[in-house]
Amino acid sequence: MSDETKPSLKARLCALLQKLRSLRIGYVGVIVAFIVGIIFWGGFNTALEMTNTEKFCLSCHEMASNVYPEYQETVHYTNRSGVRATCPDCHVPHEWGPKMWRKLEASKEVWGKLTGYIDTREKFLDKRIELAQHEWARMKANDSKACRNCHNYEYFDYMEQNTRSANAHQKGLSEGMTCIDCHKGIAHHLPAVNQNVGPDGKGVSPEVMHPVPPKAAIPKAESASEEEIAGTQ
């Protein structure tokens, strides 16, 4: 059908209204359906945003007892500017389409909650590297989109950064790297490093392999005796 013979938008709308009238819906029915649609959409969006809050995330003890205390130790939780990144800021996309897809993926997390997949600290630590790798891969695939909601290469003031950070950021930008390539431990502790040692073959944490040396004890100065004082004279 050519553009000349194709019905206009107004004609198509009129035809649609005629069909609706033939179904005995009428204008009132259309208005009612429109209002019901708005109410449904408002309710759906409200429920969606309720699941997109830090309070909702912490309603699961798996989160509240494991990763949340770690997050509280970082600059993303408390800092001099008072700007805080919450759980959904980093783990849920802001755009509606990617957000919906992430919510569908999160249904597996709900199933894990119901089946007790990581309902103890021991289970969490055992699965930590697997869980972390899934999240790193997701952020790598979307070019660290959540990070870029707040941080943007274009607005970096390299004169305000220390030399190491400025060089690393400019090198990463020129080589097409993304935030998560370097900042894996920015908000949570890193999983224990597998160094192929130990009876279970899973390795031990870096703190065990490379313990922090204790501070050398400083002997207390003892008062010199009268004989020692006399001997030095």
Side-chain angles (χ1 to χ4, degrees):
M1 182 181 292
S2 64
D3 292 339
E4 295 180 356
T5 58
K6 189 176 181 180
S8 65
L9 177 61
K10 182 178 179 179
R12 282 180 286 173
L13 289 175
C14 291
L16 177 61
L17 288 174
Q18 284 297 116
K19 290 181 180 179
L20 292 175
R21 291 183 65 183
S22 66
L23 295 174
R24 300 185 183 278
I25 295 178
Y27 294 110
V28 175
V30 172
I31 294 173
V32 171
F34 181 72
I35 295 174
V36 170
I38 291 177
I39 295 174
F40 171 80
W41 178 254
F44 172 80
N45 195 57
T46 300
L48 182 68
E49 291 305 316
M50 286 178 62
T51 67
N52 203 37
T53 62
E54 188 174 81
K55 182 178 180 180
F56 178 82
C57 297
L58 297 180
S59 63
C60 294
H61 78 87
E62 291 86 349
M63 297 294 181
S65 303
N66 294 305
V67 293
Y68 187 68
E70 299 173 356
Y71 155 69
Q72 288 180 299
E73 300 172 358
T74 70
V75 71
H76 281 93
Y77 180 82
T78 180
N79 52 72
R80 63 184 180 184
S81 66
V83 178
R84 190 162 73 89
T86 63
C87 305
D89 287 328
C90 295
H91 294 284
V92 181
H94 290 193
E95 297 77 10
W96 194 84
K99 180 190 294 185
M100 290 302 300
W101 181 252
R102 181 71 186 94
K103 292 296 184 180
L104 290 174
E105 289 180 331
S107 61
K108 293 184 293 185
E109 298 169 15
V110 175
W111 177 251
K113 168 68 177 178
L114 296 175
T115 56
Y117 185 67
I118 53 171
D119 56 354
T120 66
R121 177 70 177 174
E122 292 73 20
K123 289 182 181 180
F124 169 75
L125 293 176
D126 189 50
K127 293 291 183 180
R128 178 160 205 161
I129 184 63
E130 178 185 341
L131 298 171
Q133 286 176 326
H134 285 321
E135 191 62 10
W136 294 340
R138 184 185 70 82
M139 297 184 74
K140 175 78 172 178
N142 65 20
D143 194 21
S144 302
K145 196 173 186 64
C147 303
R148 296 176 188 276
N149 286 325
C150 296
H151 305 280
N152 193 319
Y153 275 131
E154 296 180 7
Y155 305 118
F156 277 175
D157 185 349
Y158 296 112
M159 297 300 293
E160 293 293 328
Q161 298 181 4
N162 60 46
T163 303
R164 180 184 178 188
S165 297
N167 291 339
H169 285 142
Q170 292 178 76
K171 182 176 182 289
L173 177 61
S174 63
E175 295 180 358
M177 297 176 69
T178 188
C179 309
I180 198 62
D181 288 325
C182 299
H183 295 287
K184 289 185 174 66
I186 198 66
H188 302 292
H189 294 175
L190 288 170
V193 177
N194 185 348
Q195 302 185 60
N196 297 316
V197 296
D200 56 2
K202 294 182 179 179
V204 293
S205 67
E207 290 76 13
V208 176
M209 292 299 296
H210 307 287
V212 178
K215 294 182 179 179
I218 302 175
K220 294 182 179 179
E222 298 180 356
S223 60
S225 62
E226 293 181 0
E227 291 78 3
E228 291 174 334
I229 296 175
T232 60
Q233 294 178 349

